[in-house]
Amino acid sequence: MRSFLIRRQVTALQVSYQQRFHTAAKSSSSSRTTTLPFLSFIKPKNETFLLHRNTSTDSTTAFENYTLNVEKALMKEDEGRLFSDITQDGIKTLQGIGPIAEQTLHTLGLRTIEDLATYKYYHMAKSIQVLATTAEGTFRPVGSVMNVDGAVDKPFQTKTLKEILESPVSALRGLSEDKGAMMKDNLGLATVNDLADFKFCKWAESIAFLGKYEGKN
């Protein structure tokens, strides 16, 4: 009889606990899944009372079925964020930028993803690289006025685009030899072609561009 009364009291306690919890949960404005703790202190002989946890997996975004990801470009904690938000982040959000590279990029005035995406010397180099593939030898029509004088220093203005690509990054107008040496030593950017292929600028540019076309939750 005593054992029967104890079990009834435990059952009543469990029901009362559940009722109070669910009443509080309904009044909560939180959208997160709520769990019930185990009543580990209630263990009558031959019986175990466990309150079931809420294991529902309701979607929290409108993109749960998407498979898009760029995990090799971003730090782990930033992989699921909007591109448009990432664009405003510091450059360390990109995966692989160490302390020396970070300091070098800061010295060049590149502190955010957006700075990398819009870095004018990268865009100069990339444009030269793209158009260099369209040139056949040294052919140039008589009377041509085509030039890139505003993009390169005077000694390089008469060269072909392919020759400019093979030149030091300091060939780009506005990049001093000291900065060119720093970019070579700390970032591995020895030539204009290297800068055109600089992966951090490529990633940043793509993130910033695609951020204009993403849907919002």
Side-chain angles (χ1 to χ4, degrees):
M1 176 63 73
R2 183 177 180 182
S3 176
F4 174 74
L5 290 175
I6 290 175
R7 284 197 298 272
R8 288 191 61 182
Q9 290 173 343
V10 168
T11 301
L13 175 60
Q14 181 194 20
V15 171
S16 176
Y17 185 94
Q18 287 176 315
Q19 290 174 339
R20 291 198 306 272
F21 184 87
H22 289 304
T23 298
K26 288 180 181 179
S27 63
S28 173
S29 60
S30 173
S31 61
R32 295 184 177 179
T33 299
T34 309
T35 60
L36 290 175
F38 289 100
L39 293 182
S40 56
F41 62 92
I42 303 177
K43 294 183 179 179
K45 187 177 182 180
N46 299 324
E47 291 191 60
T48 303
F49 291 92
L50 299 178
L51 298 183
H52 296 290
R53 293 175 184 267
N54 184 347
T55 57
S56 63
T57 56
D58 294 338
S59 297
T60 56
T61 75
F63 309 106
E64 295 301 317
N65 295 325
Y66 284 43
T67 57
L68 179 153
N69 196 21
V70 292
E71 66 272 21
K72 290 185 178 180
L74 300 174
M75 299 301 286
K76 189 71 176 176
E77 60 271 21
D78 298 300
E79 288 178 15
R81 298 171 56 210
L82 290 169
F83 286 142
S84 55
D85 291 340
I86 292 172
T87 300
Q88 307 304 317
D89 284 1
I91 57 178
K92 287 285 284 182
T93 296
L94 295 179
Q95 189 174 147
I97 295 181
I100 294 177
E102 180 184 24
Q103 183 58 49
T104 302
L105 291 171
H106 284 180
T107 301
L108 295 171
L110 306 174
R111 295 183 172 275
T112 67
I113 304 297
E114 186 172 26
D115 291 338
L116 282 171
T118 58
Y119 187 42
K120 75 173 183 178
Y121 295 111
Y122 161 69
H123 286 280
M124 285 179 181
K126 186 181 72 167
S127 298
I128 292 170
Q129 183 189 64
V130 170
L131 292 180
T133 63
T134 70
E136 296 183 2
T138 58
F139 169 77
R140 181 178 171 93
V142 176
S144 175
V145 294
M146 186 179 294
N147 70 87
V148 291
D149 288 0
V152 298
D153 288 336
K154 194 172 184 62
F156 302 92
Q157 291 174 357
T158 59
K159 295 183 178 295
T160 66
L161 294 178
K162 289 181 180 178
E163 289 173 334
I164 294 173
L165 275 181
E166 297 168 356
S167 302
V169 288
S170 58
L172 296 176
R173 192 167 187 173
L175 275 180
S176 66
E177 290 188 1
D178 286 343
K179 285 186 177 179
M182 178 179 64
M183 293 169 75
K184 178 182 178 180
D185 294 341
N186 299 342
L187 301 175
L189 305 179
T191 66
V192 172
N193 194 58
D194 290 336
L195 179 55
D197 288 330
F198 191 42
K199 70 179 182 180
F200 297 118
C201 282
K202 282 187 170 185
W203 291 351
E205 179 187 21
S206 299
I207 288 169
F209 182 80
L210 290 177
K212 301 174 183 177
Y213 299 95
E214 62 193 358
K216 299 297 190 290
N217 185 26

